[in-house]
Amino acid sequence: MIDRLMNRIEVLKCPICVGLDPTPELIPENMRKDAEKDFKEPPMAAAFAMMKFSLEIIDAIAGIVPAVKPNISFFERYGVQGFRAYDMTCEYAWNHGLMVIGDIKRGDIGSTAKAYASHLESQTLCGQEFEIWKEDAVTLNPYLGTDSITPFLDVLRVQDKGVFVLVKTSNPGSADIQDLIVVSSESGTEVGTGTGTGGGFGVGTTVPLYEHVAGLVKKWGAGEGLMGAHGYSKVGAVVGATHPETGARLRELMPSTFFLVPGYGAQGATAKDVRRFFDIQGKGVIVNSSRGIIGAWKTDGENAGRIGRAARDAALRMRDEIGAVL
Amino acid sequence: MIDRLMNRIEVLKCPICVGLDPTPELIPENMRKDAEKDFKEPPMAAAFAMMKFSLEIIDAIAGIVPAVKPNISFFERYGVQGFRAYDMTCEYAWNHGLMVIGDIKRGDIGSTAKAYASHLESQTLCGQEFEIWKEDAVTLNPYLGTDSITPFLDVLRVQDKGVFVLVKTSNPGSADIQDLIVVSSESGTEVGTGTGTGGGFGVGTTVPLYEHVAGLVKKWGAGEGLMGAHGYSKVGAVVGATHPETGARLRELMPSTFFLVPGYGAQGATAKDVRRFFDIQGKGVIVNSSRGIIGAWKTDGENAGRIGRAARDAALRMRDEIGAVL
């Protein structure tokens, strides 16, 4: 998956991912009203409008960007009907040449983690093979530790899929836990040289928690059968664009870890902010923008009301902005 | 929700929750084979067998235990059909007098967290009110910080629902992140007196990360409109039964936080291990067992093959074991 993703980024010259975060406010009122006429059951109508909106975005950005990142929560909101919409949106994206990064942020233990790994794993049921979920990669939450990640690594060894583990998220509240200074008791982690309070990463050395998690992600990604052909692991990291210094630091610490970088645009980060997340060859990153692209129809005067056109132009602008700093 | 839960525990004299973790291995082969005859589509057959198994457990334990904890991952495994099964299982449990704790371990930011809060929040769609998900409470992952929790707190203020935030989980890998020694930069958190390296919780004092998270959970739960009538907050904590000393310590630090305690039975913890998780009145805890109850039909010689009967007997035994130490 990581090699496919890097190839597509290369071909399109576009390290951009479009976040499909269809909040009700981003869906035009007429689209919602139409769906309410077309479907009797309100959750079905809401899910359908959300899907229709997402497909219009997909039509417009296919061939320009390599990937979309639907966030499952918006679909989950409408229950079973929402999942139908999620499922169809993912498959539609596939069939329009886009890779799908399912932003699911799952994390659980043992047999439960194995069940979540079905997001990426083909299942044999009644002798037939099923790919229940249509995702090329998913995001994972590391709070439950190694045994919450292992079942996914087992899948990555045999299937062309990927994961992105949350290391440092883009939101203000990420500081509450992720920025805590931790005393590492795992010198084997060797995440780097600490942040000034210690030289080398040994017992008693202090680093921010996200650096410790970076060490874990690096270790997980270095396992057998997980490295891609272009020097990047199938185990990537989520690193928020809103923390430029942190991103640069994490790039140093994790030279073989591909970054999924949310927070561009509407959340405030610019091309300059993410420049140092890339390696010296200008690789190793896919930058995500959600509202800045899918909500462009509300703010782009020239394309007012034209969802697809506005999204396409916004994606092209973002591609050029990032291209200019690399 | 927390008051309802405490009342039911009191009435039934049973601080037990049955974890509905229907792995394929726990479902009898004939039940799976029958479903394959009844439904043409294999994921539907698999989801149906899982649901049928879960309902048989529910029938058997209703009136004995106050709550069930279905883990959504097992259902999510079969995609849309799995969610149908989850949905029906939750509603069935409700209608058999059981409270439902959805073990979903969600966590995301901003508008995404708000979308996940729909697990508990009624939604108005086309002027009608919908309770899309049938859960009384859900579990949450705290890694993304305060803004991932806030939308849920807003719901708890106006609806009779609850959350349980992961503090210290029962699995071995929980040590990878949750046990790290952190230097707290938030003296306002005041989680307690540390673990020996510092007196009082000020700048520079060190505590395990789970104690810091405990401080956050305590703070979140102390907000306006979140305290129940019996002295416990609607914001509870998940604390694994497999760490007896930690549980006792967290009880001291969080006197008004209700604990959901997984890890009993199959994961190795006993009644003695969880005794000190309870307050001096023997309240404040619901202990979960999954495999030990729903898988009893495989190990209980007397009830071999009788799913419901074995589950019922296992639940009664667990009730008595815990009752004996309180």
Side-chain angles (χ1 to χ4, degrees):
Chain A
M1 178 269 169
I2 192 66
D3 293 327
R4 268 194 297 142
L5 181 62
M6 292 182 73
N7 285 336
R8 290 211 199 179
I9 289 173
E10 183 78 14
V11 168
L12 297 170
K13 301 200 187 313
C14 187
I16 288 179
C17 175
V18 175
L20 299 176
D21 293 1
T23 56
E25 307 80 62
L26 289 181
I27 302 170
E29 204 186 338
N30 65 335
M31 197 176 263
R32 281 184 281 139
K33 292 281 173 212
D34 284 350
E36 287 168 15
K37 283 179 214 142
D38 294 333
F39 295 93
K40 203 171 155 186
E41 198 205 332
M44 181 69 182
F48 182 82
M50 196 169 59
M51 181 178 79
K52 202 173 171 207
F53 175 79
S54 301
L55 304 193
E56 208 163 317
I57 300 285
I58 289 170
D59 283 337
I61 57 168
I64 295 174
V65 306
V68 288
K69 180 174 75 65
N71 190 308
I72 200 168
S73 72
F74 298 104
F75 298 86
E76 193 159 326
R77 179 179 188 153
Y78 301 117
V80 171
Q81 308 302 5
F83 287 110
R84 289 172 72 180
Y86 180 80
D87 202 40
M88 286 192 268
T89 302
C90 291
E91 188 165 352
Y92 190 90
W94 269 4
N95 295 331
H96 284 72
L98 290 157
M99 290 180 69
V100 175
I101 301 171
D103 199 353
I104 66 173
K105 297 189 176 69
R106 301 299 193 245
D108 210 319
I109 67 175
S111 61
T112 323
K114 203 171 147 39
Y116 277 134
S118 67
H119 273 274
L120 302 180
E121 189 174 25
S122 296
Q123 296 178 63
T124 305
L125 300 170
C126 303
Q128 293 174 55
E129 207 170 317
F130 287 86
E131 193 161 26
I132 298 275
W133 295 91
K134 279 81 181 175
E135 294 150 329
D136 295 286
V138 294
T139 57
L140 298 179
N141 185 313
Y143 190 69
L144 288 102
T146 300
D147 45 3
S148 70
I149 307 293
T150 307
F152 286 89
L153 305 184
D154 292 340
V155 176
L156 303 192
R157 285 196 180 89
V158 293
Q159 291 188 218
D160 182 22
K161 302 280 181 172
V163 298
F164 294 95
V165 181
L166 303 183
V167 171
K168 172 66 180 162
T169 55
S170 58
N171 59 315
S174 71
D176 293 337
I177 291 178
Q178 299 162 28
D179 287 4
L180 289 173
I181 300 301
V182 306
V183 181
S184 179
S185 53
E186 293 191 12
S187 59
T189 307
E190 292 181 356
V191 295
T193 56
T195 50
T197 46
F201 190 82
V203 174
T205 306
T206 56
V207 291
L209 176 59
Y210 59 76
E211 290 196 15
H212 178 84
V213 176
L216 291 171
V217 171
K218 191 176 164 178
K219 189 167 71 176
W220 295 330
E224 211 191 317
L226 296 175
M227 196 55 66
H230 302 315
Y232 280 94
S233 171
K234 294 178 177 185
V235 181
V238 174
V239 181
T242 48
H243 317 290
E245 290 306 319
T246 301
R249 167 82 184 139
L250 290 171
R251 170 49 64 216
E252 265 174 61
L253 294 177
M254 313 169 82
S256 303
T257 306
F258 203 89
F259 289 0
L260 169 64
V261 177
Y264 195 92
Q267 284 186 58
T270 64
K272 225 180 127 193
D273 291 330
V274 298
R275 192 180 51 80
R276 291 189 298 150
F277 292 45
F278 289 83
D279 66 22
I280 47 163
Q281 298 183 289
K283 291 180 181 172
V285 173
I286 191 159
V287 184
N288 181 79
S289 172
S290 300
R291 268 172 296 162
I293 292 177
I294 71 171
W297 67 272
K298 295 186 90 165
T299 51
D300 176 349
E302 260 180 64
N303 289 314
R306 297 156 82 186
I307 298 168
R309 186 69 175 259
R312 189 175 185 279
D313 286 358
L316 288 170
R317 264 197 310 277
M318 181 175 162
R319 182 195 66 183
D320 295 342
E321 284 163 17
I322 292 177
V325 300
L326 287 183
Chain B
M1 179 270 174
I2 192 66
D3 293 329
R4 267 194 297 141
L5 180 62
M6 291 181 73
N7 285 336
R8 289 210 202 180
I9 289 173
E10 183 79 14
V11 168
L12 297 171
K13 301 196 187 317
C14 187
I16 289 179
C17 176
V18 174
L20 300 176
D21 293 1
T23 56
E25 306 79 64
L26 289 181
I27 303 171
E29 204 188 336
N30 65 333
M31 197 177 262
R32 282 184 280 138
K33 292 283 173 210
D34 284 350
E36 287 168 17
K37 283 179 213 143
D38 293 333
F39 295 92
K40 204 172 155 186
E41 197 205 333
M44 180 69 181
F48 182 82
M50 199 170 57
M51 181 179 81
K52 201 172 172 208
F53 175 78
S54 301
L55 304 192
E56 207 163 316
I57 300 285
I58 289 170
D59 284 337
I61 57 169
I64 295 175
V65 307
V68 286
K69 179 174 75 62
N71 190 307
I72 201 168
S73 71
F74 297 104
F75 298 86
E76 194 160 325
R77 178 178 189 154
Y78 301 116
V80 171
Q81 308 302 6
F83 287 110
R84 290 172 71 181
Y86 181 80
D87 201 41
M88 286 192 268
T89 301
C90 291
E91 187 165 352
Y92 190 91
W94 269 5
N95 294 331
H96 284 71
L98 290 157
M99 292 180 69
V100 175
I101 301 170
D103 199 353
I104 65 173
K105 297 189 177 68
R106 300 299 194 244
D108 211 318
I109 67 176
S111 61
T112 322
K114 205 171 144 41
Y116 276 135
S118 67
H119 273 274
L120 301 179
E121 188 175 26
S122 295
Q123 297 177 63
T124 305
L125 300 169
C126 305
Q128 294 173 55
E129 205 170 319
F130 287 87
E131 191 160 28
I132 298 274
W133 294 91
K134 278 81 181 175
E135 294 150 328
D136 295 286
V138 293
T139 56
L140 298 179
N141 184 314
Y143 190 69
L144 289 102
T146 300
D147 45 4
S148 71
I149 307 293
T150 308
F152 286 89
L153 305 184
D154 293 342
V155 176
L156 302 192
R157 286 196 178 87
V158 293
Q159 290 188 218
D160 181 23
K161 302 279 182 175
V163 297
F164 294 94
V165 181
L166 303 183
V167 171
K168 173 66 180 159
T169 55
S170 57
N171 59 316
S174 69
D176 293 337
I177 292 179
Q178 299 162 28
D179 287 4
L180 288 173
I181 301 301
V182 307
V183 182
S184 179
S185 53
E186 293 188 14
S187 59
T189 309
E190 293 181 355
V191 295
T193 55
T195 50
T197 46
F201 191 82
V203 175
T205 306
T206 55
V207 291
L209 176 59
Y210 59 75
E211 288 196 16
H212 179 83
V213 175
L216 292 171
V217 171
K218 190 175 164 179
K219 189 165 75 178
W220 294 330
E224 211 191 318
L226 295 176
M227 196 53 68
H230 301 316
Y232 279 94
S233 171
K234 294 177 179 188
V235 181
V238 174
V239 182
T242 47
H243 318 289
E245 290 307 318
T246 302
R249 167 81 182 140
L250 290 170
R251 171 49 64 219
E252 264 175 62
L253 294 176
M254 314 171 83
S256 302
T257 306
F258 203 89
F259 289 0
L260 169 62
V261 177
Y264 194 92
Q267 283 185 57
T270 64
K272 224 180 130 195
D273 291 329
V274 298
R275 190 181 53 80
R276 290 188 298 149
F277 291 45
F278 289 83
D279 67 21
I280 48 164
Q281 297 183 291
K283 291 182 181 170
V285 174
I286 190 159
V287 184
N288 182 79
S289 173
S290 300
R291 267 172 297 164
I293 292 176
I294 71 171
W297 68 271
K298 294 184 92 164
T299 52
D300 177 348
E302 259 180 65
N303 289 314
R306 298 155 83 185
I307 298 167
R309 184 68 174 261
R312 187 174 186 278
D313 286 359
L316 288 169
R317 263 197 311 276
M318 182 175 161
R319 181 194 68 184
D320 295 342
E321 283 163 16
I322 293 176
V325 300
L326 288 182

